[in-house]
Every structure is written in C-alpha cells, then in structure tokens.
Amino acid sequence: MSNEHLNETGVLITGGGIVGLSAALFLHQNNVPFILIEKNPTLSMLPRARGFSARTMELYRSVGLQQAIEKQALKAWKQGTFGGARSGKSMLDSLSLSEADVQRLHSEADPSPCMLTACPQTLIEPVLYEALLDREQNIHFGWELIEISQHKSGVTARVRDSEGALHQINASFLFAADGARSSIRSASGIQRKGIEASRHYLNIFFEADLTDDVCGKTFSQCEVSNDTVKGLFLSMNNTTRWSFHLDYDPDKCHPEQWDDNALISALRSAIGKDCEIKVLARSPWNTRVKVANVYRRDRIFLMGDAAHVMPPWGGFNANTGIADAHNLCWKIAHVLAGKDDESLLETYETERLPVAERNGKQAWLRTDFDARFQIKSPGNAGYFNDIIDCNELHMRYEYARNRTVEKLLCQPGTRFPHLWVIYCGKTISTLDLFDTEYVRLGGPDSYALGQECFYRFGHELFPCEESSSWRSLTGLADNQTILVRPDGFIV
Ligand SMILES: Cc1cc2nc3c(=O)[nH]c(=O)nc-3n(C[C@H](O)[C@H](O)[C@H](O)COP(=O)(O)OP(=O)(O)OC[C@H]3O[C@@H](n4cnc5c(N)ncnc54)[C@H](O)[C@@H]3O)c2cc1C
C-alpha cells in the first residue's frame, strides 16, 4: 500500500452513469463531500432511456437543472415529435397504431412544476456531468474500483486510475451505482430475485439518414417483423440517429459477435431499403426483472441498475434509480451531520425496494406491444387490467403503506402536492420549499413551536389561483400543520 495515494471522503460513488451522476448532484446539494469514480474514460454513448418523468424532472429542478435539461430536450428532436407507435414488416412499411384503440388509463398529467421530458439519456448525462464539473472537482473518469473492504466506521476502496496508479479511498459510505452487472453487489454477496427474461435484444445504435422516409411518420417505437429480422426501432433524433433492438434467440445465435456488415444487412431489412448505415455502438440486453434482496450491506448501498433491472417498457428503470439516489442522499447528509441517527438509513431499503418491485412488475406487464400502448387485445386481456398508469407509478407512491394512491392529499409517506404559490413576492412551487431540511407547513389558523422552517398558507404562502386553498390542497383543517422531509415526503 505504500505507493498508493490516500483520499478521505464522506461518500465514494462508484459508477458515472445517470444514477451515479445524479447521486453526486444530490450529495453536493446536501453539502456531503464525495468522490465519484467511473471506469470508462468518457460518458456512455449508448442510447437507452428517453423518457424522464415529471418526478425525475422535479428532482433535477431541485438542483437547478430543469431548464438546462429542457433545453437539451428541445434540441433532441430534429423533426416531428416524440411519441406514437408503429408496427409492420419494416420501418418503411409500418402503420401507426390506431389512437381510437387506445384506452387511456389516466387523462392528464399530475400537478407538477415539471413535465415528462423526452430526451435521450446520452444528451442528459452531459448536462449532469458539466454541472458537476462546475460545482465539484471530485469526478474521476477512467478510474476503476478494484477492491473494497468494510470496517466499523467506513469502507476502504482500492482504485486504479487511468495512468495505472493505485489509490486508496477511505469513505464513510459507498454507493454502488455500478450498473446491472455490479461487482460491488456480487462482492457483497447480495442476491437478486424476480422474473427471468423472455426476450433478448441487441441494442444497435446507428447512423442513417432517414429524414425523408419518416417525415410526417415519426414514432417513439416501431416494431418490425419479417422473414429475416424481428425487432424494435426507438427514435433518437427522428432523422439520422436511431437505435434498433434486434430480437434474437441466444440458444440459436449471438449477434453481439457479428461483424458490422452482418448488422448492417439486418438493419437494412428492418428499415426496408438499401441505405448507407454506420454502426456506432452495440450492447445486448434482455427483459428480465431482477431486484436485489437487500439494498444495503452495512455501509454499502446499492442504487440504480445495481439494485434493480427491468425491461424498458413504460420507461421506469432510470427514473426509479434517480429517485433511489435522491431518497438516500439527504438521509446520508443528516446522519453524517448528526441530525438524525443511523436508523434513518434503514428506511432507504424499506421505501425504495418495494417501489422497484412494483415498477419491475409493471414494466413486465407491458411486454406485449399493444399493452405497452394501452390497447387491450385478446392476447393481453389476462393482464391488461393490472396495468397501473405511469403518472401514478412515478408520482403517487405512498412509502408508508407500500401502494400508490388515487390523489396526493398529504397522506403520510407521499410527496407533498404541488401548487403555484406566491412567497416573498415571487411565484414558486410548493415543492421549491423542500431542499435539505425538514419543513413544517400549516393552514391559515395554525401555529407551531420549534426550530424547523414553518410556512403558513395565508401568511407566508398565497395560492396563485383563488380557487385553491390549504384545505383543497391538503385535505387538512385550517389549524393543522404537517411536517415534510427534505425530499418533499410527508413524515
Ligand atoms: C433499450 C433501453 C431503453 C431504456 N429506456 C428507458 C427509459 O425510457 N426510461 C427509463 O427510466 N429507463 C430506461 N432504460 C433503463 C436505463 O437506461 C438504466 O436504468 C440506466 O441507464 C441505469 O443507470 P445506472 O447509472 O444505474 O447504470 P449504468 O448506466 O449501467 O452505469 C453504471 C456505470 O458504472 C460503471 N462501473 C461499473 N463497474 C465499475 C467499477 N468497478 N469501477 C468504476 N466504475 C464502474 C460502468 O462503467 C457504468 O458507466 C432503458 C434501458 C435500455 C437498455
């Protein structure tokens, strides 16, 4: 160990994917010192998530990045819009799924200062990365975790940097945001359970100018099936960049080992014409649902894909992982600062693990293409009725009773409802009141003793709409108060 560089920190984050980067921003928000290491030298170029829920955008709003991400989203789509589904023998031959057949599960978005934002993950990660560089210097790409050991007061990690030099990092806590194949999870002896994969795909990210071919016919997903190829196109910019998810049987072939020419030939068949194609990246994945049996091994916490994987149907996994990070970071901050005792950290698993199980099941229920787009068919009738609306899953979970609710009304363990209010002459969302400390909110006739921040409707806060009030927002009497955690959840 004598030639190793020694570093001390509060939290070591392993993994610079979307979840590790988000965790770093939330720790920074909470003034917790951290070091982030990522074994790859650069951010991933592989397109995966494209739908960031309004709740995820609320979390990014809390760290000042809502506008920057919305700006990226505006630039993402070079023609048409994001959304819609098509299917056919090839992309060019495909037809749009009929809107008339869609059975909307929920008609409108939940009240929020943010909206569901469609933007490829590859455009969002650079925003998070740049923001971190502006705020912190402890981001190390090209650094790989190679060994960990735990002791009573922390974790010791051995890390190899991009030059091959070894570092020892002593941290109070370790966040394993090291993806689905998490070596930290395996080294910690944590097993996973769930549903085995029924489908296997090769994600092929490629360049091909299809601008004229899809003009007026843009889509979010286009399922194709013909005699030579089966799979799914996901739009990336609606013109020149696409990803195709080649459906294959791993007992019969291994397309991840094919050369580019073989992939290009499959892509041409899936598109439906000969055209110039450049393969940019590839990566296999499958539709299994796996959730770790535990989220914590002493001072090590799993988050994101290290804790749960699920098929992308419904767009839950990254959103679930980002919310994991947000849930844990304020708790770590409060425990490190001695404001709460260590038992608070136990709630990370009791709150977040059931959410991953629920979302995993919901993603799996959307395996059928029609069900994913809310179309009931004879083939999906058996499980269609179990599908829960996406807004409800992302926004309206109730930690206390491990369920989702019809409406947010200050039930313990739910997120405080959003309302635009005037505070100190400025229009803000009620959610903007939550940051790093507990906050008490109350009706016009309420009063509170104690040190925590206290905001009363009709005194410090004034609803922007006359028809709104403390009562209509919370369902509580005018003399009642409520305590809200730093993450906006009711105690
Ligand atoms: C086709 C597809 C579409 C998807 N669409 C959606 C969607 O619309 N919405 C949604 O919410 N989710 C979606 N997902 C899921 C989403 O992409 C993932 O959940 C998300 O990327 C996981 O992020 P992560 O940071 O947990 O893991 P990763 O992105 O896998 O990052 C883990 C990082 O850890 C690093 N690492 C690993 N080991 C070490 C080590 N020893 N030392 C240092 N670094 C290490 C890796 O290099 C990697 O960069 C989709 C997934 C796929 C495949």
Side-chain angles (χ1 to χ4, degrees), residues 15 19 38-40 48-50 121 145 245 305 315 317-319:
V19 173
E38 162 57 51
K39 69 178 176 190
N40 289 325
R48 288 173 291 166
R50 301 170 303 160
Q121 184 171 344
L145 178 84
H245 299 265
D305 278 18
N317 211 28
N319 287 296

Side-chain angles (χ1 to χ4, degrees), residues 190-207:
I190 299 175
Q191 307 292 318
R192 296 183 294 176
K193 59 174 189 288
I195 309 167
E196 292 308 324
S198 58
R199 302 219 189 135
H200 295 259
Y201 293 92
L202 181 69
N203 180 359
I204 313 167
F205 179 34
F206 67 98
E207 231 166 47

Side-chain angles (χ1 to χ4, degrees), residues 376-393:
K376 197 172 188 172
S377 69
N380 67 34
Y383 48 83
F384 189 88
N385 292 341
D386 291 334
I387 291 181
I388 303 175
D389 169 61
C390 286
N391 291 311
E392 186 168 333
L393 291 166

Side-chain angles (χ1 to χ4, degrees), residues 210-252:
L210 303 175
T211 310
D212 295 337
D213 302 296
V214 296
C215 182
K217 297 188 283 189
T218 54
F219 54 81
S220 157
Q221 299 184 16
C222 173
E223 193 180 56
V224 301
S225 176
N226 61 42
D227 292 343
T228 49
V229 71
K230 235 173 114 179
L232 185 73
F233 286 98
L234 299 185
S235 57
M236 285 300 138
N237 68 0
N238 285 346
T239 54
T240 54
R241 293 198 152 204
W242 305 91
S243 73
F244 181 65
H245 299 265
L246 177 71
D247 190 335
Y248 70 97
D249 179 349
D251 290 335
K252 293 191 179 143

